[in-house]
Amino acid sequence: AQTVTQSQPEMSVQEAETVTLSCTYDTSESDYYLFWYKQPPSRQMILVIRQEAYKQQNATENRFSVNFQKAAKSFSLKISDSQLGDAAMYFCAYRSALRAGNMLTFGGGTRLMVKP
Amino acid sequence: EPEVTQTPSHQVTQMGQEVILRCVPISNHLYFYWYRQILGQKVEFLVSFYNNEISEKSEIFDDQFSVERPDGSNFTLKIRSTKLEDSAMYFCASSEATGTNYEQYFGPGTRLTVT
């Protein structure tokens, strides 16, 4: 079974600064997808960024980028120019490319606080 | 922008009672999911549903759980005889298809409290 681990329960960053959230995962599969989801206090989860395991290039979405290290099974999220609206829980998630059910396996989450 | 909706936002029930949690997925989506999040814990997958059948289910999704798409718009999760440990936030999600470019869109959740 796949597992996803987020070792930082809480992180804080000064507004306009950069912060990196860590995620590691364990799998024996070679083809899979990785995601970062944001869960603001309203509790609805929103997809931030995604990465296909077969792609070597790291995904970027505006101020959000990932550092995907397949051999190390590491998938960190970098948020540049942090904004107050970035404050939320962030979940790393794994999805197999081989299984039919599309199930997402989530990490335990990292609470990000942004200081003005 | 289309969104997944869930009702009720909060449900309080007594142990042993049946509850039905309702979800309206995005209209052109074909894949539907339920996840739950016990307070302070991980979001956990319960079940995925496609073409009126369960595609995959987790160990949590035992015989007391069932899912149904009773009409063209609703997707429901039924818990037959609730237990205290069923207290959690239940999230519905839907996706247009599978593959990376078809993300799962989550609803706002239903908070279930079993007393």
Side-chain angles (χ1 to χ4, degrees), chain A residues 33-53:
Chain A
Y33 310 111
L34 297 165
F35 305 87
W36 278 97
Y37 279 86
K38 172 185 177 182
Q39 188 183 40
S42 67
R43 310 216 32 115
Q44 192 154 8
M45 275 197 289
I46 305 160
L47 180 66
V48 174
I49 197 165
R50 74 193 95 196
Q51 174 82 42
E52 295 94 329

Side-chain angles (χ1 to χ4, degrees), chain A residues 8-9 11 17 19 38 53 58-60 74 77 81 84-85 103:
Chain A
Q8 306 151 316
M11 292 283 284
E17 297 292 304
V19 65
K38 172 185 177 182
N58 289 322
T60 62
S74 168
L77 174 70
D81 186 24
L84 295 177
M103 116 182 179

